Amino acid sequence: MASLFAAALFVSAFLLFWVQPLVGKTVLPLLGGTPAVWNTCMLFFQAALLAGYAYALALTRWLSARAQGLVHVGLLVVAALALPPALGADAAGGVPEGGSPAWWLLKTLLVTVGPPFLVLSASAPLLQRWFSRTRAASASDPYYLYAASNAGSLFALLGFPVLLEPSLTLGRQGRLWALGYGLLAVLIAACALAALRAGAPPVPADADAEGVPAGEAFDEGAREENAPRVTWRRRLRWLVLAFAPSSLVLGVTTYITTDLAAVPLLWVIPLALYLLSFVIVFARRRVVGPGLAGRLVPGTAVLLALVYLSGATEPAWFLIIFHLLFLFSAALVCHWQLAEDRPPPARLAEFYLCLAAGGALGGLFNALVAPLAFDALVEYPLVVVLATYLRPGFRRERGRLLGLRLGARRAPETADALDDGGDDQRPGALDLLLPLAIGLLAAALLLVARQFELSNVERVALSLGVPLFLLNHLFAPRPLRFALGLGAVMIASAFLFEEPVRTLHATRNFYGTHRVEANEDDSLHWLQHGSTLHGKQYTDPARACEPLSYYHREGPLGLVFNAVRARRDAAVPAARPLSVAVVGLGAGTTAAYARAGETWTFYEIDPAVVEVARDPRYFTYLSACAGAPVSVVVGDARLRLREAPEGAYDLITLDAFSSDAVPAHLMTREALALYLRKLAPGGVVAFHVSNRALELERVVGGISREAGLVSRIFNDGRQGSELGLDSSTWVAVARNSEDLGQLTSDTNWPEFDPAVYKLEVWRDDFSDVLSVFRF
């Protein structure tokens, strides 16, 4: 009996967490490959999970066992009419002009996969509730089956980027998923029949704790009516403990994918750790004790704060480890407390409903509320602070949240494992004064460090390392004191950066965070997207039209323009005026290369970037420097380029970034095939592939070689603030060497050396990020 129910739960969870990256990968190219796509997908899936749990609660509370089975199996059959999951014709066109990408995505997910996902999401609480009615030996405590459910989730998440994505197209995966759905319907029907035949079991000897006389049989209604009522305070505790890890998962995922790439592999790693914590705490045999996990949280929080507040970006793989360690330890502690506070089986569906509601609130906060409330990624450090507070204290301390006591009933042996046995410590004045003191110390050290010529590492070690060490050494046993101290150090870190800058404009939307900043004398403006520079310009009119940063005239892009124009100038008969397409607008710097008579088209998905580039208060490349009329097409470049005439452009420049990440769908074999169709005979495609963590030039070289094209690379390491230069890497691609013109004889533009570059090929169905990681 237990094996049957475990198998059904495993398959159900496997399907639930297979379809999530599958659908996310499908819609990702329609929204420019931005990291917010996955956060919004997670919000939808968490909301659907909440609806499924609410449905399971209503089903078990109001219907008989026979009616429950008939209704649920019937809904499984009806939902199958939406299979296999695939985008409709309307959705394939992307977000309508002027529409909200977040709401468009939520609506698309509802139509594409909503019905089957909602029915599947009810499986965990419903099947466990049915199992508790059987005569199986373990029926009195069905929560361990939750571990089987989460194991299925883990297998799906880890199997998708490792096995499914590399070997199967998205369409074939959708059809296989539909077959798996049919198998699950059979298993659930078998479970319903088994539970019905087993009938209500006799009450165990200790069942009088639920208000039913020991040894007597009782039905579904008696269990529900006689089980102890759950207080609203306890429900709120469940909500908060579920909210924090859910929000942390999305915060960590956003951090990772913003500067690397929005691909399923980087989506599933944080989510897999989150689910692994559920597997551990709901398993019959627990391999990690709560005391160890509770003590890990302050230590990992201090390490995370040190690397996060320092602004360090390299080496990316090393920094990511700290974020994942904190996520796992915090999720383990929060979920452990939930497991210890689980109610009797009669309240199982209500318990899972609260967990789902907390998870959905975490998704809502990160995906919709935070982008509206904050113009920077503030939600991540805020929830880090909250998570350090929610852990149990070392001395039997049970915290308070907004004056509400969060500590609920806990098994005595668990309390002893979490606490060191000291007296009960209630919050007092010192819990406010000492964190304030540690914050003032950090601010003072930061101001002192600015007076000396210290390297960034030395400055961070002195001004942040010392306060964080004291914080961990002195405050770790008391969650409230530690959390407030950590928050105070985070606020004080605003004094870290030495160069005085003025923020002229800050905004945040679905596509990321944007800041226009200026130096102290307002002689230079620059655009920051996330952690990465996306263009800068002198404000002096005499120098304002000089392309700077990655686009300077002596750099790779300047040489590409020189080569293309020189070849066209030598053409007989004379070539038509140059036609240029630029994917990615930024500050509009590339427009400084435009000459009279030429045709220039920019493709930009983010309306906020278009507004900034067109506003002469910030940048004037478009309004005053372009020598030819410039048009801007708003939308994803892959979708909008399809509308351009075949062979329309002599030069296509790929310069689209989300912070430091290039959208993966712009660097696949299918994307290159599109560019070639829009490229005129003799044309050139120039890829900007600068990235701190990924060797993207190997991908461009790989897809070019596979297509029979020629490609050359220029690693421009020159940079200097006095010259307005920044280092960059570009790859020029053409149909043959003659089309590259002067670049073929320029030693700065070598061919890809197989001994140096191991070329990789990305496709729309699979992008292997690990293969190009800079370790």
Side-chain angles (χ1 to χ4, degrees):
M1 185 72 71
S3 298
L4 172 63
F5 278 83
L9 283 165
F10 182 92
V11 174
S12 174
F14 186 89
L15 292 174
L16 278 175
F17 284 85
W18 177 7
V19 80
Q20 292 182 35
L22 173 62
V23 174
K25 174 79 172 179
T26 302
V27 299
L28 183 66
L30 304 178
L31 293 157
T34 177
V37 170
W38 181 242
N39 278 10
T40 309
C41 286
M42 285 298 297
L43 169 61
F44 170 82
F45 294 130
Q46 288 167 328
L49 188 70
L50 175 61
Y53 282 10
Y55 153 73
L57 176 61
L59 209 62
T60 57
R61 178 168 292 182
W62 295 330
L63 297 182
S64 66
R66 181 183 181 86
Q68 291 172 31
L70 290 174
V71 169
H72 193 59
V73 172
L75 286 179
L76 280 168
V77 173
V78 172
L81 298 176
L83 299 179
L87 293 177
D90 292 341
V95 184
E97 187 173 353
S100 167
W103 291 112
W104 176 89
L105 178 54
L106 292 172
K107 183 185 71 173
T108 300
L109 292 172
L110 179 63
V111 173
T112 303
V113 76
F117 190 92
L118 188 146
V119 178
L120 287 182
S121 63
S123 298
L126 195 58
L127 289 174
Q128 289 181 59
R129 191 72 178 95
W130 289 352
F131 181 73
S132 71
R133 299 187 69 257
T134 68
R135 299 180 182 274
S138 54
S140 60
D141 184 17
Y143 285 96
Y144 77 93
L145 290 174
Y146 199 48
S149 176
N150 284 302
S153 307
L154 275 175
F155 270 87
L157 286 176
L158 299 179
F160 185 86
V162 175
L163 298 174
L164 298 170
E165 188 186 17
S167 56
L168 299 172
T169 65
L170 295 177
R172 181 169 294 181
Q173 287 189 62
R175 291 188 290 274
L176 286 176
W177 193 90
L179 292 176
Y181 183 91
L183 171 63
L184 178 65
V186 173
L187 287 173
I188 290 179
C191 290
L193 185 60
L196 188 62
R197 287 182 173 179
V203 181
D206 61 348
D208 57 334
E210 297 186 16
V212 180
E216 294 184 9
F218 56 95
D219 60 19
E220 201 78 9
R223 286 187 172 192
E224 185 72 25
E225 182 178 348
N226 294 302
R229 295 190 64 82
V230 178
T231 65
W232 281 106
R233 181 174 297 182
R234 192 174 175 192
R235 291 189 185 103
L236 179 58
R237 180 177 187 267
W238 292 343
L239 283 172
V240 174
L241 288 173
F243 166 87
S246 172
S247 179
L248 279 176
V249 166
L250 300 183
V252 170
T253 306
T254 299
Y255 169 81
I256 294 174
T257 57
T258 294
D259 286 338
L260 295 182
V263 294
L265 174 65
L266 301 181
W267 294 341
V268 304
I269 292 175
L271 187 55
L273 291 175
Y274 171 83
L275 290 172
L276 179 60
S277 68
F278 271 116
V279 173
I280 292 173
V281 302
F282 280 97
R284 284 181 165 180
R285 296 186 60 185
R286 298 170 175 174
V287 297
V288 179
L292 173 62
R295 287 166 173 78
L296 277 176
V297 170
T300 54
V302 164
L303 293 174
L304 171 62
L306 188 62
V307 300
Y308 185 78
L309 298 176
S310 67
T313 56
E314 299 178 72
W317 67 269
F318 181 70
L319 300 177
I320 288 171
I321 291 174
F322 293 102
H323 294 263
L324 296 178
L325 280 175
F326 178 78
L327 166 64
F328 183 63
S329 59
L332 200 61
V333 168
C334 289
H335 292 156
W336 196 288
Q337 295 177 80
L338 286 169
E340 289 301 317
D341 195 31
R342 63 187 185 269
R347 300 291 183 186
L348 180 148
E350 184 178 357
F351 175 67
Y352 284 144
L353 181 65
C354 289
L355 264 61
L361 287 174
L364 181 69
F365 176 65
N366 282 61
L368 295 183
V369 176
L372 295 176
F374 311 120
D375 58 18
L377 293 174
V378 177
E379 65 273 16
Y380 182 33
L382 276 179
V383 180
V384 167
V385 171
L386 174 63
T388 62
Y389 169 67
L390 292 177
R391 65 187 173 87
F394 294 177
R395 297 177 178 273
R396 300 184 185 274
E397 180 176 348
R398 295 174 179 175
R400 295 175 181 271
L401 180 64
L402 301 176
L404 181 67
R405 200 165 180 79
L406 285 174
R409 74 171 182 87
R410 196 169 53 192
E413 64 273 12
T414 303
D416 291 341
L418 289 169
D419 301 330
D420 277 348
D423 296 332
D424 186 38
Q425 304 172 13
R426 298 182 181 277
L430 287 179
D431 289 316
L432 296 177
L433 295 177
L434 291 178
L436 178 61
I438 207 77
L440 292 174
L441 172 64
L445 289 174
L446 284 161
L447 291 174
V448 170
R450 290 178 57 179
Q451 308 306 314
F452 299 93
E453 294 185 2
L454 301 176
S455 67
N456 189 56
V457 173
E458 293 170 335
R459 186 165 63 250
V460 168
L462 171 64
S463 53
L464 293 180
V466 172
L468 289 173
F469 171 80
L470 294 175
L471 182 71
N472 186 53
H473 186 68
L474 301 176
F475 296 175
R478 304 190 65 126
L480 177 61
R481 190 175 297 177
F482 181 90
L484 292 177
L486 182 62
V489 173
M490 288 181 173
I491 294 173
S493 68
F495 294 97
L496 176 63
F497 299 101
E498 189 172 353
E499 295 184 6
V501 299
R502 296 186 303 115
T503 299
L504 306 179
H505 174 76
T507 187
R508 180 179 179 183
N509 62 9
F510 184 83
Y511 301 103
T513 60
H514 316 82
R515 297 191 316 277
V516 179
E517 297 176 335
N519 58 0
E520 197 170 16
D521 61 2
D522 200 46
S523 62
L524 187 68
H525 291 181
W526 60 88
L527 173 62
Q528 287 279 142
H529 187 175
S531 63
T532 305
L533 178 71
H534 278 210
K536 54 189 176 183
Q537 183 179 27
Y538 292 125
T539 57
D540 180 0
R543 306 182 66 188
C545 292
E546 179 181 339
L548 304 179
S549 189
Y550 322 113
Y551 316 101
H552 59 96
R553 296 189 187 278
E554 292 75 28
L557 185 61
L559 295 177
V560 168
F561 272 101
N562 291 342
V564 170
R565 285 191 169 118
R567 190 168 183 276
R568 295 178 64 80
D569 291 343
V572 178
R576 61 177 171 81
L578 186 68
S579 179
V580 179
V582 181
V583 177
L585 178 60
T589 312
T590 313
Y593 286 95
R595 294 180 180 177
E598 296 178 344
T599 302
W600 279 66
T601 305
F602 283 87
Y603 292 88
E604 173 58 54
I605 194 171
D606 192 345
V609 171
V610 177
E611 292 178 8
V612 166
R614 284 177 167 168
D615 194 329
R617 294 176 298 172
Y618 309 133
F619 303 100
T620 60
Y621 285 120
L622 293 183
S623 60
C625 298
V630 171
S631 63
V632 179
V633 178
V634 180
D636 178 74
R638 282 279 299 268
L639 295 176
R640 298 298 172 251
L641 266 173
R642 294 175 187 170
E643 302 167 1
E646 302 294 299
Y649 300 114
D650 304 299
L651 173 62
I652 299 176
T653 300
L654 277 300
D655 186 39
F657 284 83
S658 177
S659 189
D660 198 40
V662 178
H665 72 291
L666 297 181
M667 304 182 65
T668 63
R669 62 161 66 129
E670 294 85 354
L672 182 59
L674 172 65
Y675 306 149
L676 289 177
R677 293 199 306 270
K678 306 305 175 182
L679 193 68
V684 175
V685 183
F687 290 83
H688 186 189
V689 295
S690 305
N691 189 277
R692 292 185 293 263
L694 304 178
E695 295 177 339
L696 298 175
E697 57 271 26
R698 291 165 50 197
V699 177
V700 176
I703 61 176
S704 302
R705 177 168 297 183
E706 182 191 52
L709 308 176
V710 296
S711 57
R712 291 177 176 264
I713 181 172
F714 188 169
N715 285 304
D716 185 8
R718 294 172 292 175
Q719 65 181 76
S721 57
E722 69 281 357
L723 300 176
L725 308 183
D726 292 286
S727 59
S728 63
T729 302
W730 292 74
V731 177
V733 178
R735 295 184 177 93
N736 53 64
S737 297
E738 291 75 18
D739 293 344
L740 291 176
Q742 301 172 354
L743 301 185
T744 58
S745 58
D746 190 335
T747 56
N748 289 316
W749 286 91
E751 293 181 303
F752 281 92
D753 185 352
V756 178
Y757 297 99
K758 181 184 177 183
L759 302 183
E760 301 287 341
V761 175
W762 285 3
R763 61 182 196 272
D764 283 350
D765 287 319
F766 180 58
S767 304
D768 187 1
V769 173
L770 288 181
S771 66
V772 295
F773 220 102
R774 298 183 192 274
F775 289 103

